[in-house]
Amino acid sequence: MKQRSILREVSVKGASLHTGDKTQLTLKPAPANAGITIRRVDLHDKPVIKPHISQVTDLVRATTLASGHVKVHTVEHVLAALHGMGIDNVEVEMDASEPPILDGSSKGFVNLILEAEPVELDAEREYFVLDQPISVTKGNSSLIALPYDGFKISCTSADDRGIHTQHLSIEIDPDVFATQIAAARTFTVYEDIEELLKLGKIKGGSLENAIVLKDDKIMSKEPLRFDDELVRHKILDVIGDVLLLGKPLKAHIVAVRPGHAVNAELTAKLAERMDELAKGEAAPAKAKPKTARIEEETQLDIRRVIETLPHRYPFLMIDRVTEFRGDDELTAIKNVTINEPFFQGHYPGQPIMPGVLQIEAMAQAAGILMLRKINQEGKTAVFMSVDKVKWRRKVIPGDQLRIDIKLLKIMRAKIGTASATCYVGDEVASSGELKFMILGEGEDV
């Protein structure tokens, strides 16, 4: 891939989200290897800042960068547009500290880039190709970056009340970003507005440039642009924040309840790894990382589930393990949402979770328990058979599937049998007995 810039200078003007100031933003062509720079033309000597994760100073509802006395904030929507549209070299001029919010998405900046006409330059694009998994956790948020030949984001978004849960997994390229991500608008919870105003934020906010969530209602000046617009905007923010790495990334990012603070932590860790590799200081990554040890843990969040099981979206059927009871029992959770890909073809109009996928959820939970029971480093649980299966209640979008597993027998520390019961509330949804085998790396059944 060649580096890209723009053919001509273009400008847009509007109110900023947090300061409320009127701001003019101008995109100007830049030569190969110049990168992305932001120039404050309203300050003496028109200083320039080159966005990088080391400059992050404030992450309360926006990404703020500072270098010396130069500060810019709420730059994530502009950076997301440049990153998503594959623009490597451009000078961004602003006559204030914050870009215009426009409609609360990156759509206006994408239109500006298209008006400026992206052009290829006579230089190869340099990527950071991630060579090993990197993860961060902050409260109930977690992000994992996995080696991948491309740029993909799988994101689950939910507010603190567990309402408006949405999921999307999508490969990012300029066409996809322009049509599927850029138009997704920023959003906030109604109860947070007063506190944000006290912090001096959102002075330019309105229903014309943001979505407001009040209880189970969505307040907006216009209808939702996508049924899952909220998770698409979370992906947009990740794309913008990850550009602070300083170069485009090749990786698959799995995000659960992401936000600017945890996005920045992941980007900082990616930057550390990139610097290690550039200096030749890092030990080479193993071809296949060993499965994490879980013998002493009392529960597993989604990050640890992914580190323990080989399954990935759309076939990962466990969201977390809420409890281990001794060495032989556990309870796991699968949140069932309308965004599950199987609902598109399984009884459309009356979506029901397929029974075979409930069995798969049981098998994955049982595999985790077996791997905990024995020395599981570098091993994988393989589903062999199922017996005595019964389905008693349909499972539909909005249900939370609680999976109780009890190990019944282990033979030769390799073959296990377990009983499994899935509940929705206090009602049994399905049950069965499972048999599975533990395989070492490279071992066949």
Side-chain angles (χ1 to χ4, degrees):
M1 293 288 292
K2 296 288 187 181
Q3 293 184 26
R4 300 211 305 173
S5 183
I6 54 176
L7 185 63
R8 63 183 65 88
E9 180 179 319
V10 288
S11 298
V12 67
K13 193 169 188 175
S16 299
L17 175 61
H18 291 301
T19 65
D21 295 338
K22 291 287 184 180
T23 306
Q24 178 165 301
L25 179 142
T26 300
L27 301 181
K28 291 185 172 183
N33 300 313
I36 294 168
T37 56
I38 300 176
R39 184 181 295 275
R40 287 283 305 274
V41 296
D42 58 316
L43 300 179
H44 178 66
D45 290 337
K46 300 180 181 179
V48 170
I49 185 169
K50 192 165 187 175
H52 189 264
I53 187 62
S54 60
Q55 301 162 337
V56 171
T57 60
D58 182 9
L59 293 164
V60 179
R61 297 302 181 102
T63 298
T64 299
L65 309 176
S67 178
H69 70 287
V70 188
K71 181 180 286 189
V72 293
H73 50 98
T74 325
V75 294
E76 58 271 13
H77 296 175
V78 179
L79 296 181
L82 295 170
H83 192 183
M85 297 300 290
I87 303 300
D88 306 282
N89 306 286
V90 72
E91 183 174 287
V92 182
E93 278 192 357
M94 298 195 312
D95 61 2
S97 64
E98 184 181 14
I101 187 62
L102 304 180
D103 67 354
S105 75
S106 287
K107 182 180 178 182
F109 300 118
V110 167
N111 291 341
L112 203 64
I113 291 168
L114 294 175
E115 181 186 343
E117 195 174 334
V119 292
E120 285 192 350
L121 304 176
D122 190 21
E124 294 296 323
R125 175 179 292 160
E126 182 182 353
Y127 293 89
F128 171 47
V129 181
L130 183 62
D131 66 321
Q132 65 181 30
I134 290 178
S135 64
V136 295
T137 300
K138 191 177 182 69
N140 56 14
S141 301
S142 64
L143 278 84
I144 303 171
L146 302 167
Y148 183 74
D149 187 19
F151 186 41
K152 183 177 182 179
I153 299 177
S154 299
C155 182
T156 299
S157 171
D159 62 24
D160 290 336
R161 304 160 298 174
I163 306 175
H164 307 299
T165 300
Q166 298 179 356
H167 178 85
L168 180 64
S169 184
I170 193 165
E171 188 97 22
I172 306 299
D173 62 33
D175 287 340
V176 168
F177 183 83
T179 59
Q180 301 298 315
I181 300 298
R185 294 161 293 169
T186 191
F187 62 92
T188 189
V189 176
Y190 179 79
E191 290 76 10
D192 291 346
I193 293 176
E194 183 177 354
E195 185 62 29
L196 288 169
L197 289 171
K198 287 179 180 178
L199 292 172
K201 304 282 187 178
I202 64 170
K203 294 177 182 177
S206 73
L207 289 180
E208 293 183 350
N209 54 41
I211 296 169
V212 175
L213 309 179
K214 187 176 183 181
D215 299 325
D216 61 345
K217 296 182 176 59
I218 294 178
M219 303 166 63
S220 173
K221 190 73 171 180
E222 63 175 273
L224 289 180
R225 296 171 176 178
F226 308 95
D227 291 340
D228 54 356
E229 186 170 356
L230 308 183
V231 72
R232 289 174 191 259
H233 187 80
K234 286 294 187 180
I235 290 174
L236 185 155
D237 281 344
V238 171
I239 293 169
D241 289 336
V242 166
L243 188 59
L244 296 176
L245 188 61
K247 61 175 65 174
L249 171 69
K250 282 193 175 183
H252 178 190
I253 295 176
V254 181
V256 178
R257 301 171 65 114
H260 292 301
V262 72
N263 295 351
E265 284 193 24
L266 178 68
T267 305
K269 279 198 171 185
L270 290 169
E272 287 176 11
R273 181 61 184 173
M274 185 170 68
D275 289 344
E276 287 174 352
L277 292 173
K279 295 173 182 176
E281 296 175 354
K286 292 178 172 57
K288 183 178 180 181
K290 293 180 178 179
T291 308
R293 301 181 67 87
I294 59 174
E295 287 87 343
E296 305 301 323
E297 295 180 84
T298 58
Q299 57 185 8
L300 304 180
D301 60 16
I302 184 61
R303 175 181 62 87
R304 295 291 291 114
V305 170
I306 289 174
E307 289 175 352
T308 304
L309 293 175
H311 307 78
R312 295 295 181 265
Y313 176 84
F315 218 70
L316 181 61
M317 293 292 156
I318 301 296
D319 289 329
R320 68 182 188 273
V321 176
T322 58
E323 181 185 13
F324 288 103
R325 294 180 293 281
D327 292 333
D328 298 322
E329 296 185 47
L330 68 69
T331 296
I333 295 296
K334 163 64 180 170
N335 293 303
V336 183
T337 79
I338 192 60
N339 299 299
E340 308 283 357
F342 50 77
F343 284 141
Q344 297 180 28
H346 196 254
Y347 296 101
Q350 190 179 6
I352 300 172
M353 183 180 184
V356 292
L357 293 184
Q358 295 175 44
I359 294 174
E360 177 62 28
M362 298 178 200
Q364 292 180 19
I368 291 174
L369 188 56
M370 182 72 170
L371 293 171
R372 175 185 167 90
K373 176 79 172 178
I374 66 171
N375 179 12
Q376 52 83 57
E377 188 173 352
K379 306 219 177 138
T380 301
V382 178
F383 185 29
M384 293 179 66
S385 65
V386 62
D387 194 16
K388 301 179 183 178
V389 178
K390 293 181 181 180
W391 287 279
R392 302 178 183 275
R393 180 197 190 278
K394 65 182 179 181
V395 179
I396 62 176
D399 285 344
Q400 184 180 75
L401 202 64
R402 189 180 85 247
I403 308 155
D404 283 351
I405 302 293
K406 182 175 182 179
L407 281 177
L408 302 176
K409 187 189 302 183
I410 297 176
M411 297 179 289
R412 302 189 304 277
K414 187 169 185 176
I415 297 176
T417 303
S419 66
T421 306
C422 293
Y423 296 87
V424 175
D426 295 327
E427 296 183 61
V428 175
S430 54
S431 61
E433 287 191 3
L434 314 170
K435 183 179 286 186
F436 44 91
M437 179 183 291
I438 302 300
L439 298 180
E441 188 171 352
E443 186 178 359
D444 293 327
V445 177

